[in-house]
Amino acid sequence: MNIRTSLPSALASLLCAVLLGACGGVVGGDGEARGPAADASLFVPMAEYCGIKSPETRSVTGEGWDAAPTFMNGYRYTASSLRSLAGSSQALEGGLALKLDINDYRGAVADGMVATLPGAGDPAWVMGARIPTVLAPRAIACTVHLSKLRNDYTRPAGWSTYWHASLPMAQLPGHLIDGFEFVSNFTPADSTLYFVLDKARYGNVQAPSLCYLAPQKTQWECAAATLADAGARWEVRATGVRAGAYALVSSSRR
C-alpha cells in the first residue's frame, strides 16, 4: 500500500503560492519547454557546494541532465544532485528522486550525541525531494543532510545549510528526527518532498511536525504532519518543494 499525504492546508498553501509565483518556464530554440527559469549565476557555487567536481563539464554533449550522489570530504554526509548545462526536455516519468539516508537525531540536538543510524536497512527508508527533469540551461539542484557529522562519528560538527552557517535548531517544536536542505537555482514544478521511516525503528513518533526554513530567514515555519501508514513504513509527503531547509520533528524524545 502506498498512501501519500501532504502538509495541512496552511503550510501547503504557502508552498504552492510561492511555487506558482516563481515557475516561469524557459523555451528552447526548437520551441520545446526547458523547465522553470534558473539563475545561471548560482550554477557554479551551488554545484561546488553540492560536491560536483568540475561542474562546467559533462560526460555527454548537448541538452540533457545527469545526476549522482556525492560524498563530502571530511564529514560523514552525502548530497544527491541533478544538473543540466544546456537544458533538458527529457521528462523522466515520475521525476527524479534526490534522496538521502534517514537517521534518528531525537536527543542529539540537545545532547550532542551521534544519531541512531539505520545501518543496512531497507533502501526505502529515505528522505528527499522528487523533481521533474525538464530543465532550463544551467539548472542545478541537490539535497544535503542538515547535520554535518565529523568523520570520527562522535558528534555533529554543526547544523547548517548553503544559506545558514548555523541553523536555529532550538526553535524546532520538539525533537528532530532528521532533515535535509534543498539547494537549487530554480523552483521545480510538480515536486514532492518526503520522509519514509521504518515503522519498527520509529515506533514512537508522536505528534510529528514538518518544518521549513527559507534561505536567509531565521524563523522556522512548522505545521502538523500526518504519518501515512504504508505497511512496514510511515510516510510523510508534501507537494511544492522550494529552496531551503526541511526538518521532521516529533514530540517524543524516543
Side-chain angles (χ1 to χ4, degrees):
M1 179 168 56
N2 184 14
I3 303 174
R4 296 182 59 181
T5 182
S6 62
L7 285 172
S9 58
L11 188 52
S13 297
L14 175 62
L15 291 174
C16 291
V18 174
L19 182 65
L20 292 173
C23 280
V26 173
V27 177
D30 56 4
E32 294 186 17
R34 287 292 188 272
D39 185 343
S41 68
L42 295 176
F43 178 79
V44 171
M46 284 189 170
E48 291 176 344
Y49 180 82
C50 294
I52 299 174
K53 297 180 179 179
S54 303
E56 297 281 8
T57 63
R58 286 183 52 89
S59 58
V60 296
T61 59
E63 75 110 52
W65 53 269
D66 54 359
T70 53
F71 183 82
M72 305 303 191
N73 291 332
Y75 299 98
R76 190 202 171 280
Y77 67 97
T78 57
S80 182
S81 61
L82 170 69
R83 65 171 175 169
S84 179
L85 279 177
S88 171
S89 60
Q90 302 174 33
L92 183 67
E93 185 176 359
L96 180 74
L98 301 178
K99 59 186 178 181
L100 302 167
D101 292 339
I102 192 166
N103 302 312
D104 189 352
Y105 285 99
R106 286 176 292 174
V109 176
D111 301 344
M113 58 184 274
V114 73
T116 300
L117 304 177
D122 188 326
W125 303 336
V126 292
M127 61 182 178
R130 183 176 290 276
I131 64 175
T133 57
V134 177
L135 303 164
R138 300 180 71 78
I140 181 74
C142 72
T143 53
V144 185
H145 289 103
L146 294 186
S147 174
K148 311 312 194 260
L149 289 177
R150 296 184 186 278
N151 262 343
D152 58 13
Y153 306 123
T154 57
R155 61 187 175 85
W159 307 86
S160 62
T161 70
Y162 178 81
W163 307 273
H164 302 89
S166 181
L167 290 168
M169 305 301 286
Q171 289 182 9
L172 292 173
H175 302 280
L176 175 71
I177 295 173
D178 207 348
F180 66 91
E181 55 181 310
F182 180 69
V183 180
S184 178
N185 66 350
F186 66 96
T187 302
D190 300 321
S191 53
T192 304
L193 68 92
Y194 54 88
F195 291 82
V196 183
L197 311 174
D198 170 24
K199 191 181 292 184
R201 183 177 292 273
Y202 299 89
N204 189 32
V205 179
Q206 298 180 0
S209 296
L210 184 56
C211 298
Y212 169 74
L213 183 66
Q216 284 89 43
K217 298 299 183 181
T218 59
Q219 187 68 46
W220 293 91
E221 304 167 18
C222 299
T226 301
L227 292 175
D229 189 339
R233 306 188 301 273
W234 297 119
E235 296 185 1
V236 174
R237 296 180 183 266
T239 57
V241 181
R242 51 181 170 146
Y246 293 90
L248 184 62
V249 180
S250 172
S251 62
S252 62
R253 182 184 176 94
R254 287 288 179 180

